[in-house]
Amino acid sequence: MILDDVKRELVGRCTFPATNWLYNRRRLRGIYGDLVYSDAWPAQMLEETQLQQLRRVLAYAQRWCPFYAERLRHCHVDPKDIRKLSDVEHIPPLTRHDLIQHRAELVDRRLSASVEAAERQARPPGAPIPLAPFRRHRLVRNTSTGSTGTPVVVYEDGSTTAMTWAHEWRLKKWFGLAPGEREARFARVSTEFVANSKSLRARQLLWNQLVLPGINLAEADFALCLERIRTFRPRILFGITSALTGFAKYVQAQAATADIRPAVVITWASPVYDHERALLEQTFDCPVANVYGSREVGHVASTCPHGRMHIHQENFHVEVRHDPSSGGAGNSGQILITPLFPTPMPLVRYEIGDVAELTPSDCPCGRQHPLLRNLLGRTTEIFTTASGRAIPPNFWCRAFMGNDGSQHVDQFQVVLERSGGLRFRVVRRPDYTPETEAGLRRYLGDQLQDEIPMEFEYVDAIAPQPSGKIPMVIDQREAETAGASR
Ligand SMILES: [Zn+2]
């Protein structure tokens, strides 16, 4: 146990920050220290910080990024005139289409040679550049993995990743864990990659992180994960939600729950739905936290031990734009995100493509950081009935996995078809009968209150997307024009 403590301190204070510095992810401990300090700030102080940072980001964007020089001129906004956060609303949102069309002009023009160098290099998306502080070109090219449509490309110099690591550290601190704590991560890599990668062995040694495959997982992969986790004894299980839930099912089937005792499970890359949270809590007997963010902007918000999702307000300005056509119901709307820390590619009011509600904090944890509620998922995952009702992905969870469905359905996927109909791909459990389907049809008919063509397709397994993720909802409605939207 003492050895564990020594290793944690060494990793958290020394080897993790130092090796990240070599990837140009600087000031990790400094950012973390600031975040711990501002964690208890009152709302007004958080907002004042945001305003200062916003002015700085806009001034930088105006001066160095051709896209913003033009855009701010066009909408008559001068960063010096920004008096309150809502003044940013005079700047039009940055759409995914803007990002695809103008990505080079969004980057600091002094770095155009670095953008070209990043384009020429054959590194995998997001792969860091070793010894980056000593190189002329330090931009990392990253692509977001939208489930449909053209991926967006962003360039970062390490600053976004440094911010993400620091936010992750603060999240772990909320659950009583210090930087450098032993952690198993189900990442977006395959089993073969994990088996053959030397860098992952170094990562285990220097970062105290056991990297496990998180995509395209079969039973043999889960067996390997279980064996490695038993040996490594992580205090944190982190990863792609579908990998964690798949692993939890495997652990239950093996009656191996007592062998794995993490202090927290942190899910990432997609919302965690109620039935998934329940499965993870029950299997690992610990709280489940969820991280919200994307490759373009990093970690924007995380759930606290009270289960509320707080925005990392020191470093992000988040707006929710109420727009009836966005598919959001009630007070929900399109999320717009402005990172407030210095990056070579500032994104102002980025329309990330998710729908949620935004409210001031009333969380018992006492943090004043605003809350994202009812994070319903991607706009493309929301089904709108003929009468205009927006059906979020969580509805399907309740239908297929809630109440009585969970005994009969192992896995499901909803396809929103071009014809306007719904196709349900279902992996049945042994006790699934024709009566189960009839019951589901009745329930869905009652709830949706519309004549919607529904088709049930019975499959042995649900195939992952090319990215390796298994989305709960697949949108085929705009398949031909997906390049223009998401
Ligand atoms: Zn809270």
Side-chain angles (χ1 to χ4, degrees), residues 61-79:
Q62 183 189 41
R63 177 152 191 213
W64 299 114
C65 309
F67 178 86
Y68 280 110
E70 172 60 26
R71 178 159 274 194
L72 295 182
R73 197 178 57 77
H74 198 252
C75 62
H76 309 292
V77 170
D78 189 327

Side-chain angles (χ1 to χ4, degrees), residues 148 380-384 391 393 396 400 411-426 444 448 452-459 461-463 465 470-479:
T148 56
T380 50
E381 292 174 338
I382 292 171
F383 176 68
T384 313
I391 309 294
W396 310 115
F400 286 89
Q411 230 185 334
F412 74 96
Q413 186 172 54
V414 182
V415 183
L416 313 180
E417 294 195 304
R418 273 183 72 75
S419 60
L422 296 165
R423 171 183 295 274
F424 304 114
R425 292 192 180 123
V426 176
L444 292 166
L448 297 173
I452 299 162
M454 290 185 229
E455 216 173 308
F456 281 68
E457 180 188 352
Y458 295 108
V459 292
I462 290 171
Q465 301 257 294
I470 304 177
M472 189 201 302
V473 178
I474 291 191
D475 184 22
Q476 292 185 342
R477 289 169 298 188
E478 290 181 60

Side-chain angles (χ1 to χ4, degrees), residues 400-401 404-411 426-433 436 440:
F400 286 89
M401 308 303 277
D404 50 352
S406 55
Q407 283 90 47
H408 312 297
V409 175
D410 193 52
Q411 230 185 334
V426 176
V427 181
R428 287 169 288 187
R429 290 202 175 163
D431 51 3
Y432 190 102
T433 62
T436 319
L440 279 166

Side-chain angles (χ1 to χ4, degrees), residues 304 308 310 363 365 367:
C304 73
R308 315 275 169 94
H310 292 275
C363 184
C365 78
R367 288 182 188 86

Side-chain angles (χ1 to χ4, degrees), residues 198-225:
K198 282 198 187 94
S199 69
L200 293 188
R201 263 168 263 161
R203 189 160 165 167
Q204 188 170 332
L205 186 72
L206 299 169
W207 292 9
N208 227 358
Q209 289 182 354
L210 170 71
V211 175
L212 297 167
I215 54 174
N216 303 332
L217 299 173
E219 188 137 323
D221 305 304
F222 286 132
L224 178 91
C225 293

Side-chain angles (χ1 to χ4, degrees), residues 102-421:
H102 302 287
R103 70 182 199 227
E105 302 141 63
L106 278 157
V107 182
D108 186 328
R109 59 186 152 83
R110 295 168 295 180
L111 299 173
S112 54
S114 297
V115 169
E116 284 162 28
E119 286 295 328
R120 278 196 306 272
Q121 274 164 0
R123 294 173 194 281
I129 300 171
L131 303 176
F134 307 106
R135 291 180 196 247
R136 206 153 79 89
H137 302 308
R138 303 169 192 169
L139 287 187
V140 172
R141 183 184 189 278
N142 206 343
T143 56
S144 85
T145 54
S147 50
T148 56
T150 318
V152 299
V153 176
V154 288
Y155 305 96
E156 74 131 339
D157 59 355
S159 49
T160 305
T161 309
M163 203 47 85
T164 294
W165 282 137
H167 283 131
E168 232 176 70
W169 272 0
R170 179 166 75 172
L171 168 64
K172 290 166 188 170
K173 189 175 192 301
W174 291 351
F175 290 86
L177 299 163
E181 195 59 82
R182 309 169 77 80
E183 173 178 0
R185 290 175 87 93
F186 289 86
R188 208 173 274 143
V189 291
S190 65
T191 306
E192 296 73 45
F193 180 81
V194 169
N196 299 316
S197 170
K198 282 198 187 94
S199 69
L200 293 188
R201 263 168 263 161
R203 189 160 165 167
Q204 188 170 332
L205 186 72
L206 299 169
W207 292 9
N208 227 358
Q209 289 182 354
L210 170 71
V211 175
L212 297 167
I215 54 174
N216 303 332
L217 299 173
E219 188 137 323
D221 305 304
F222 286 132
L224 178 91
C225 293
L226 176 58
E227 186 193 311
R228 299 200 61 189
I229 284 178
R230 271 180 176 144
T231 318
F232 189 68
R233 298 176 289 111
R235 300 267 289 143
I236 301 155
L237 290 185
F238 182 102
I240 300 171
T241 311
S242 56
L244 282 164
T245 51
F247 180 63
K249 282 184 193 169
Y250 179 81
V251 167
Q252 288 212 352
Q254 301 298 310
T257 50
D259 300 2
I260 305 171
R261 280 284 158 261
V264 64
V265 174
I266 303 173
T267 68
W268 163 78
S270 62
V272 56
Y273 297 109
D274 295 345
H275 69 281
E276 296 170 324
R277 179 186 298 278
L279 170 73
L280 293 169
E281 280 174 352
Q282 191 205 345
T283 309
F284 301 115
D285 193 22
C286 71
V288 174
N290 183 226
V291 169
Y292 172 67
S294 77
R295 294 211 182 188
E296 299 96 296
V297 291
H299 289 183
V300 177
S302 315
T303 48
C304 73
H306 289 269
R308 315 275 169 94
M309 184 160 273
H310 292 275
I311 289 165
H312 299 306
Q313 197 184 2
E314 300 89 337
N315 293 308
F316 292 95
H317 176 51
V318 177
E319 304 162 70
V320 164
R321 193 181 46 171
H322 302 287
D323 169 8
S325 67
S326 71
N331 289 321
S332 62
Q334 286 270 3
I335 299 179
L336 305 179
I337 295 176
T338 307
L340 298 175
F341 50 90
T343 67
M345 187 179 188
L347 304 178
V348 179
R349 310 189 77 213
Y350 176 49
E351 204 177 86
I352 194 168
D354 291 324
V355 171
E357 281 175 45
L358 180 68
T359 64
S361 176
D362 57 354
C363 184
C365 78
R367 288 182 188 86
Q368 295 302 305
H369 302 66
L371 303 175
L372 273 185
R373 290 178 195 268
N374 295 325
L375 188 58
L376 303 176
R378 304 270 156 189
T379 36
T380 50
E381 292 174 338
I382 292 171
F383 176 68
T384 313
T385 65
S387 52
R389 280 180 58 216
I391 309 294
N394 223 356
F395 169 80
W396 310 115
C397 301
R398 283 196 296 276
F400 286 89
M401 308 303 277
N403 306 328
D404 50 352
S406 55
Q407 283 90 47
H408 312 297
V409 175
D410 193 52
Q411 230 185 334
F412 74 96
Q413 186 172 54
V414 182
V415 183
L416 313 180
E417 294 195 304
R418 273 183 72 75
S419 60

